[in-house]
Amino acid sequence: MSTHKLPGYRATLRTAKRLAEEAVPVVERAVPGKMPDVQIILATGRGMAELVTAAEVETAGDVDKWVQARALRAAKRAADDVAGRTVPLADGGVLVVINVEQHPNEAVFATTLVHELVHAMQLSRKGVRDRIVSGLRNDLGVERLSRRQNRECERCLEQEEREAYSREYLARSVVPSAA
């Protein structure tokens, strides 16, 4: 766990480490799959956009510079409304970036952390990482999917998002006030 362009957040980092140590075993027990190598980074909205875009570009592969810049601009526009993102890494690990500006207390942070760790567990399931990467390559214009494949990717993403929201109750066992 680390921070990105976040001076003066040492206490927040300590709290985040403690919550992550408690949340990982809870999520591992409750969600099918195997917990991959997870890097958790705390950042502001703008820093989150930079990290996520860089990880997506690296994972997608051969991405044009213009497309990278457009993806970064889009991520920066949406960053203030996003509490966290989970992105597969090229080396097989998972990057979880959490926007500290969206978390006023431990309970909200624990809920977001559990949600993103559920997504990390989903990435360990058979075929999910490949589907996410192919959808990412489609979004970045590297390799196009057919309309049917794109709809299937969107449907699976919605299903995984519903599962992650349905498991947010696990945050209550990490922080009792997360109810």
Side-chain angles (χ1 to χ4, degrees):
M1 180 169 289
S2 63
T3 60
H4 175 72
K5 295 183 179 179
L6 211 61
Y9 277 84
R10 198 168 309 194
T12 305
L13 181 62
R14 277 194 304 271
T15 303
K17 283 182 181 178
R18 181 180 52 80
L19 289 174
E21 288 172 358
E22 295 174 19
V24 168
V26 170
V27 172
E28 280 182 320
R29 283 191 303 269
V31 179
K34 183 176 181 284
M35 185 65 77
D37 291 335
V38 178
Q39 296 176 24
I40 300 174
I41 299 178
L42 306 179
T44 61
R46 188 175 196 82
M48 184 173 90
E50 293 169 0
L51 287 169
V52 168
T53 303
E56 287 177 343
V57 165
E58 182 182 342
T59 302
D62 187 30
V63 179
D64 184 43
K65 295 287 184 193
W66 297 103
V67 175
Q68 288 179 27
R70 186 176 46 212
L72 181 60
R73 282 192 305 273
K76 283 180 180 177
R77 279 192 301 272
D80 290 336
D81 299 331
V82 178
R85 288 282 311 271
T86 303
V87 181
L89 294 173
D91 65 1
V94 176
L95 175 67
V96 173
V97 184
I98 297 180
N99 184 350
V100 294
E101 296 169 338
Q102 294 284 326
H103 299 92
N105 56 40
E106 283 186 10
V108 176
F109 185 87
T111 302
T112 300
L113 184 63
V114 166
H115 181 98
E116 298 305 326
L117 288 174
V118 169
H119 285 312
M121 291 287 284
Q122 291 168 344
L123 284 168
S124 72
R125 296 177 188 162
K126 184 177 180 180
V128 174
R129 175 179 289 278
D130 295 335
R131 181 179 41 76
I132 297 285
V133 171
S134 66
L136 188 59
R137 290 174 62 84
N138 177 62
D139 293 344
L140 294 173
V142 175
E143 183 179 333
R144 292 287 177 201
L145 295 175
S146 68
R147 278 194 225 119
R148 182 178 183 197
Q149 290 170 324
N150 200 19
R151 280 194 309 271
E152 178 67 17
C153 275
E154 293 296 323
R155 187 188 62 74
C156 289
L157 284 174
E158 288 174 14
Q159 183 179 0
E160 290 161 359
E161 197 63 36
R162 280 195 303 275
E163 179 188 7
Y165 278 119
S166 73
R167 300 300 172 115
E168 285 182 356
Y169 73 90
L170 296 170
R172 281 182 267 171
S173 62
V174 176
V175 176
S177 63

